[in-house]
Amino acid sequence: MKHTRSIAYALVLGIFISIFMLVFTPPATAATINSAKWMEQLAPRIGDKPLREIYIPGTHDSGTYGLIPSHIRPIDDVFAPDANNGLLRFGTYIGVTDAWAKAQEKTIYQQLVDGIRHLDLRPCTEKNGTLRICHGMYGPLMQYVLKDIKKFASENPKEIVIVEFGGISVTLPEKVEEEVRKLLENDADLRLQKMIQSELGQYLVDHSKVTPTSTPNEIWNTQAGKSLIVIYANNSNSSYWSTANRTNSWKAQDTWNVHRKRETLENALKDSQNEDKLFLFSGAATPDDNGNFLFSGLASLQNLADQTNPVVLGWVKNEWSKKRLNIIEIDFYNRTCLVPLTYALNGEKSIPLYACNIGIETSWSKQEGGMAAARSCPKDFRDDRSYCAKPAAYGRGAGYVIWEKAKCERENSQGCEQYGAIWYPKCASGFKPIECCICTPICPNGMSDIGVSCQKLGVPQINLNDGVLIKGSSGAVFVMISGVRRGIPSPDIFNSRGYKWENIITIPDDKLNSIPVGLNLGKPEISLTDGVLIKGNDDPIFVMELGKRRWISSPDIFNSKGYKWENVKNISEQELDAIPLGAIIQ
């Protein structure tokens, strides 16, 4: 009898827990959507939509994550054949080309796992005929890029990926006759097609039966296991789509100026709404041939993207979300909320975007012919000449669990907002949230937020967020951690922490001296190279990437990325606190 009662109690408890979980399970968020399988997971929302009407995240110059530094190229083959920008060539001699040619940080496979579904590949050949990716400089081997795509397609058969190959650029001898030139170009073109077929053939859709008006369900039901669509610019192979199947908003001459960029995008959107084609909404901004990038105060294309992406994605979210944007392509996507934003645009309304820098003002958004500087610092901000140092940030506490929204709002008159499965009090007036738990002062109009300070408009843009590597004229290198600069006393310590020498930026000595100094970093307890999994005394697990620790937000995400629990290494809390935080993996 006693045993029977125990079983009954267990059944009642089980039913109660099931009901509790049903009632209190939070809605789907970016953390509960597996970015590697988001199309499959959002099938109820996008399965019956034409491809041309689905919001698809893309990367501009997708293969530039692995550009080869010009100083280690053969002297007679330094520049890629597409290096037609004279100032970029000149930039090699003053050390800026590398920084302005690189548009992405992650490999093709990593981009796809992160949710990217349109790739922009620029094929070329070296003098010896080797096929590579190019963007002014030589990049990764084409074969490696295709193997990355193949690996992802084999693992995720329902994720439809559009792979676009630009016209192939061929490195030619200095003096070559027209007939020989055509022979070399045709040979490179045929070798590329053969390589595409060899590596990707088993995953390619039947392009004659798929159009921009086809739906994912149609493709999944009629071409099981076929998930790759190729757009081939040379149009020499009828087995693929040509560029006639998509409209492009890109206009190179309009990308540097914010007003012309917006006008170009608006005009392209008007023209594309009723076409039965894909539409490529290009949010990238690039340097022009007039030398603006050399004198803009920006150190790299990444710095420029940090200024342009929040503005362009703000137009997307706040003004054009009802328009047929289709493929949304930007530089350095991983420094933005592009992928979660496309979830929301595709109808997943519960995606939290409040912590994203979408729609904020930047120095790029404030262009009025030139860049007029705001010069006076507001009350409580310290004037550091070109910068206004912020007053102290503050924490929002441990928060309230998902079912305590009413309690949170009762105890916090300013209201509450959700971050993951926790409710937090909204930041006070004049403050904004950073990730879950910190409220930082908002910079006044006319200034750019660079972390510990507000940068007066019109001075060189310097990003001082966690993990940024800086130095002054003396050569001593520091890393920014929690608003202070911490010295890196030796190359051995620098390398062991996973930092990259090419990521160091030089800033004016007066700015360097205005940043509070923390303790020098020592050699880490373990090697902190990319991919190392770490945790402190508490539960959160992080993965190292480019010298930063990125929080893996759930066990499902951990498993979906292919990480192994037995590879997680414990380190001290002191060591963990010395590692800058990167973006959350969700």
Side-chain angles (χ1 to χ4, degrees), residues 33-222:
I33 294 176
N34 182 346
S35 59
K37 298 182 183 297
W38 70 262
M39 282 189 155
E40 182 177 0
Q41 285 186 248
L42 294 189
R45 301 191 184 281
I46 67 171
D48 291 322
K49 284 187 176 182
L51 293 175
R52 65 183 290 276
E53 294 180 12
I54 298 172
Y55 296 90
I56 298 172
T59 48
H60 174 243
D61 270 313
S62 309
T64 55
Y65 62 88
L67 295 177
I68 303 170
S70 51
H71 66 273
I72 65 173
R73 288 290 306 169
I75 192 66
D76 63 340
D77 197 12
V78 174
F79 298 106
D82 66 339
N84 54 9
N85 185 313
L87 278 167
L88 279 177
R89 284 176 173 262
F90 169 69
T92 294
Y93 303 104
I94 60 173
V96 301
T97 296
D98 299 26
W100 284 94
K102 181 177 180 177
Q104 305 298 335
E105 294 178 296
K106 294 198 171 188
T107 67
I108 296 299
Y109 179 74
Q110 290 170 332
Q111 292 177 37
L112 294 170
V113 168
D114 283 350
I116 296 301
R117 295 294 178 267
H118 177 272
L119 299 173
D120 169 28
L121 303 178
R122 313 291 178 87
C124 72
T125 67
E126 296 178 278
K127 271 191 175 180
N128 63 12
T130 302
L131 287 164
R132 289 188 177 272
I133 296 291
C134 292
H135 185 218
M137 301 165 63
Y138 289 109
L141 289 169
M142 179 62 71
Q143 189 170 18
Y144 291 169
V145 168
L146 298 182
K147 285 185 181 297
D148 268 7
I149 299 170
K150 178 180 180 179
K151 174 176 168 63
F152 179 81
S154 70
E155 296 169 345
N156 303 280
K158 285 197 168 184
E159 298 304 300
I160 299 168
V161 180
I162 301 165
V163 186
E164 183 160 352
F165 294 87
I168 190 166
S169 302
V170 178
T171 301
L172 300 168
E174 288 186 12
K175 295 180 179 180
V176 62
E177 295 181 0
E178 181 67 13
E179 186 176 345
V180 175
R181 181 187 66 79
K182 288 183 178 179
L183 285 172
L184 291 172
E185 290 176 346
N186 288 339
D187 172 70
D189 185 47
L190 290 172
R191 286 190 292 117
L192 175 57
Q193 290 183 42
K194 184 177 179 180
M195 188 180 291
I196 293 171
Q197 199 61 38
S198 173
E199 294 292 345
L200 307 181
Q202 69 187 100
Y203 303 106
L204 296 176
V205 301
D206 182 342
H207 290 73
S208 67
K209 296 179 180 178
V210 175
T211 72
T213 60
S214 298
T215 69
N217 279 336
E218 290 170 351
I219 295 172
W220 294 334
N221 292 334
T222 63

Side-chain angles (χ1 to χ4, degrees), residues 508-546:
D509 286 341
D510 65 327
K511 176 56 187 171
L512 183 70
N513 295 333
S514 72
I515 303 170
V517 183
L519 295 174
N520 281 356
L521 294 178
K523 192 165 184 176
E525 299 166 8
I526 61 170
S527 175
L528 297 175
T529 51
D530 284 4
V532 171
L533 298 164
I534 57 173
K535 67 183 291 293
N537 297 333
D538 296 324
D539 290 334
I541 295 175
F542 305 86
V543 62
M544 291 301 302
E545 184 179 309
L546 299 175

Side-chain angles (χ1 to χ4, degrees), residues 36 63 86 140 143 157 209 227 235 326 369 374 393 413 422 453 508 551:
Q143 189 170 18
K209 296 179 180 178
S227 58
N235 202 23
N326 202 195
S413 59
I422 303 295
S453 297
W551 175 40

Side-chain angles (χ1 to χ4, degrees), residues 127 142-143 196 270 276 339 379 388 398 438:
K127 271 191 175 180
M142 179 62 71
Q143 189 170 18
I196 293 171
K270 289 176 186 175
D276 285 335
V339 174
K379 183 182 178 182
C388 296
I438 303 297

